[in-house]
């Protein structure tokens, strides 16, 4: 009796052992590779990386958040999304302070204003939390890296589209958001390129659209009242093109103007499709999110330019990642709708 | 007797089983995480990623290669280094053709000339091999991304250093390598910034240093003979500053001139230390190599902007990664020697 019990135990143990080998056959192989080589870039699911926006309801952030989330999934870390709900620097500072208090593995933030956040960003960095800026930078802060559009170049491309559509002559107006670095640079790129390459186009007005559809609509109406012969608009921001389009639709068909929009929210795309907006500029939003997390992960794990701390200003990470611009017209607009 | 044999076998199997559990305890935990999450960015050690240079003996490439190698180790893939030994476009094309024939997982190449390699680069891309350009680009090719210095901005920074050292007046000469895009942009950035910000500085000569110490030394001597009152030089390339320094040393101490060098090879650093070269510009070379492989890896594995193939020109990867510039003077030169 005792003997047969032993046989059963022996048999069971052998079976379990074989099952175990069979089940872990693949990891065993990987284990061998790790000993020889590397287990790749893999994080800890407990590590939280936080993305911080403002006007957090904006459609615009969705693809950036998707890129951030995709990178988090790839690297096996946890993404978190926070933001100021309003267009309010103080609210964004408060949100950032709350995040710093929880010591996350990294923070990717888009600055509502190129200076207002510097002190708080530097506070995070002094506390050892990696910070990168995306979409709208804060060049005076201690953050190592900015990921976004080369905004001056985007404005220049918008100017060339305007020049082409206006046959090189006429009057242009810009609707923008003053005091936000990306919008200032787009405005400058547009204005300087018009001046340099289209001597017969004059910019009659640079107006504040307040970052909202309503504000941009009102600004467009005011410009058309003041300059009825304005040939068209450049909107430096997602809501701008849509707001201008609404103003034009409301004012009737005789008000046909050139509209160069920015970004690819549904409202803008619909207006590209129906011809109200001639051209919109698509930013590399997914890349902003994805590579923001990638840079933060590298800094958190110290995989950066060797000895950069001793080099008085050497860059541990690339200081700028240009995520690119694509021209969207009626010909390729269908591809830009969210799938 | 039979019973005791069974006891021994049973004991042995149990011990092996416990040992096995103990040894694989950690991978078992990781296995659980993979099921739930991700195994991170980890490649196949059989995947070969090739870096291609020209003048492959140059000290300059070492830190770029180190970055490429560090990324390969991190990602568990195999790095390979190839290059034309000479400053010869045809030789580089031949090397690239040989590499394409072996179908590597990706190619990072620095273009000896902004156009000569386009056809061969496009051939690689059409064969499905990801290609990125580093250090010196080929904007007319189909390669998605360039990683390197913002060369125009580097030239502008060099101009501001020159202007400061010359107290805003005098004569400057540039020793460069014509027909190589990075050197053309540095030259343009220097010349345009001098013109815009230092109206009392005149550029008397832009000479070809042929990328070599000898060529740069001869060019410097010829310029000093033609313009004995030239106040100084900007060298757009590593061998340039060193060659100018040798010329000045040979011509004697009365020939004290301002020298703005480029890069951080040992010869240049020694001359910064002894005062022959006033300032040199350090590039983010490690970052060029590291992030080149990182981008190639992403493209090889299809971890890119979703649907970019359908978007008529949307960028699957960031089109430009600016790896940064640091000003090196006698004050921080010690940190730049290879460790």
């Amino acid at each position: 009796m005792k003997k047969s019990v032993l046989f059963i135990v022996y048999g069971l143990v052998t079976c379990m052992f074989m099952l175990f080998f069979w089940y872990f056959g693949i990891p065993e192989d990987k284990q061998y590779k790790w000993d020889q080589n590397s287990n790749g870039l893999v994080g800890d699911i407990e590590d939280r990386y936080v993305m911080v926006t403002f006007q957090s309801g904006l459609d615009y952030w969705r693809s950036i958040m998707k890129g951030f989330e995709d990178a988090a999934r790839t690297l096996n870390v946890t993404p978190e999304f926070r933001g100021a709900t309003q267009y309010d620097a103080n609210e964004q500072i408060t949100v950032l302070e709350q995040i710093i208090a929880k010591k996350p593995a990294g923070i990717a933030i888009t600055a509502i204003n190129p200076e207002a956040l510097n002190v708080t960003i530097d506070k995070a960095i002094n506390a050892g939390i990696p910070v990168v800026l995306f979409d709208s930078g804060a060049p005076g802060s201690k953050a190592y890296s900015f990921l976004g559009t080369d905004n001056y170049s985007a404005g220049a491309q918008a100017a060339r589209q305007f020049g082409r559509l206006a046959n090189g002559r006429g009057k242009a107006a810009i609707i923008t958001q003053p005091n936000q670095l990306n919008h200032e640079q787009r405005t400058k790129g547009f204005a300087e390129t018009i001046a340099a390459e289209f001597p017969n186009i004059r910019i009659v007005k640079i107006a504040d659209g307040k970052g909202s559809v309503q504000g941009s609509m009102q600004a467009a109406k005011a410009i058309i009242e003041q300059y009825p012969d304005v040939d068209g608009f450049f909107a430096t921001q997602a809501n701008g093109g849509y707001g201008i389009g609404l103003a034009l639709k409301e004012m009737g068909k005789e008000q046909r103007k050139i509209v160069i929009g920015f970004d690819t929210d549904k409202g803008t795309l619909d207006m590209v499709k129906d011809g109200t907006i001639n051209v919109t500029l698509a930013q590399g939003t997914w890349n902003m999110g994805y590579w923001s997390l990638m840079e933060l992960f590298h800094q958190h794990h110290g995989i950066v330019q060797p000895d950069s701390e001793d080099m008085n200003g050497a860059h541990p990470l690339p200081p700028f990642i240009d995520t690119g611009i694509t021209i969207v017209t009626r010909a390729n607009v269908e591809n830009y709708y969210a799938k």
Side-chain angles (χ1 to χ4, degrees), chain A:
Chain A
M1 196 65 172
K2 233 182 178 178
K3 207 167 159 181
S4 65
V5 168
L6 271 176
F7 266 116
I8 290 163
V9 170
Y10 176 61
L12 276 174
V13 170
T14 309
C15 283
M16 278 174 72
F17 198 37
M18 283 168 71
L19 263 170
F20 197 84
F21 257 115
W22 172 76
Y23 185 71
F24 283 104
I26 295 155
E28 187 195 8
D29 181 38
K30 284 209 173 164
Q31 175 70 22
Y32 170 74
K33 283 206 172 155
W34 296 341
D35 289 338
Q36 297 281 313
N37 305 291
S38 158
N39 58 351
L41 285 178
V42 57
D44 187 328
I45 201 76
E46 306 292 321
D47 283 349
R48 289 175 317 105
Y49 289 83
V50 188
M51 170 164 278
V52 189
T53 57
F54 52 87
Q55 289 182 291
S56 52
L58 271 188
D59 210 27
Y60 173 67
W61 309 120
R62 278 177 52 192
S63 155
I64 303 181
M65 285 159 73
K66 177 70 165 58
F68 197 78
E69 199 181 307
D70 284 353
R73 190 179 302 111
T74 300
L75 293 169
N76 193 48
V77 299
T78 301
E80 199 176 303
F81 300 98
R82 297 289 306 278
T85 52
Q86 303 299 313
Y87 189 73
D88 176 348
N90 288 327
E91 191 193 346
Q92 203 186 18
I93 290 168
T94 306
V95 169
L96 185 53
E97 293 275 6
Q98 289 165 352
I99 293 164
I100 294 169
K102 289 186 176 176
K103 296 192 188 302
I107 300 171
I109 185 165
T110 177
I112 194 167
N113 167 309
E115 277 159 24
L117 294 162
N118 287 356
V119 171
T120 322
I121 290 170
D122 291 356
K123 189 174 159 184
I125 288 166
N126 293 337
I129 304 167
V131 180
V132 297
L133 274 294
F134 68 90
D135 196 48
S136 188
S141 78
K142 287 187 184 169
Y144 290 125
S145 199
F146 170 64
L147 303 99
T149 300
D150 179 338
N151 286 300
Y152 183 92
S153 155
Q157 289 186 60
R160 290 185 193 113
Q161 294 294 322
F162 192 98
R164 176 179 66 79
L165 292 162
N167 296 315
R169 52 190 322 118
K171 297 195 173 92
I174 303 173
I175 296 186
T176 184
Q177 262 172 292
N179 301 322
Q180 199 179 315
L181 190 61
N182 49 354
H183 296 289
E184 286 178 356
Q185 289 170 338
R186 289 170 199 168
T187 301
K188 192 162 180 265
F190 186 86
E192 290 187 358
T193 306
I194 290 289
E197 300 178 17
F198 303 98
N200 297 320
I201 296 178
R202 193 161 65 86
I203 294 168
V204 294
K205 183 85 179 177
I206 299 176
D208 184 359
K210 299 190 170 61
S212 71
V213 173
Q214 278 298 322
S216 303
M217 190 169 90
Q218 282 161 15
K221 284 183 183 171
I223 289 168
I224 292 171
E225 274 165 36
Q226 201 183 344
Y227 304 95
D229 61 343
V230 68
D231 293 281
F233 296 88
F234 168 46
T236 68
Q237 194 256 11
N239 285 332
Y242 188 69
I244 295 164
L246 287 184
L248 293 176
K249 286 188 180 214
E250 215 182 283
M251 293 173 98
K253 275 190 183 160
E254 68 282 9
Q255 292 294 349
R256 184 70 199 99
K257 308 284 182 192
I258 297 163
V259 184
I260 313 287
F262 221 98
D263 297 322
T264 56
D265 57 288
K266 189 174 176 304
T268 300
L269 294 177
D270 285 347
M271 285 192 178
V272 171
K273 219 167 149 180
D274 78 13
T276 310
I277 294 175
N278 303 71
V279 167
T280 191
L281 302 180
Q283 300 189 74
T285 44
W286 184 89
N287 275 318
M288 289 183 207
Y290 186 90
W291 293 93
S292 282
L293 184 40
M294 198 54 65
E295 284 207 323
L296 291 173
F297 183 92
H298 276 81
Q299 205 185 328
H300 179 70
H301 290 276
I303 313 168
V304 296
Q305 157 71 45
D307 305 312
S308 51
E309 291 201 3
D310 303 328
M311 281 189 181
N312 297 354
H315 301 285
L317 292 168
F320 172 47
I321 293 185
D322 176 3
T323 48
I325 274 286
T326 317
I327 303 291
V328 181
T329 64
R330 207 186 269 191
N332 60 344
V333 67
E334 288 295 348
N335 299 315
Y336 284 85
Y337 281 93
K339 272 144 201 157

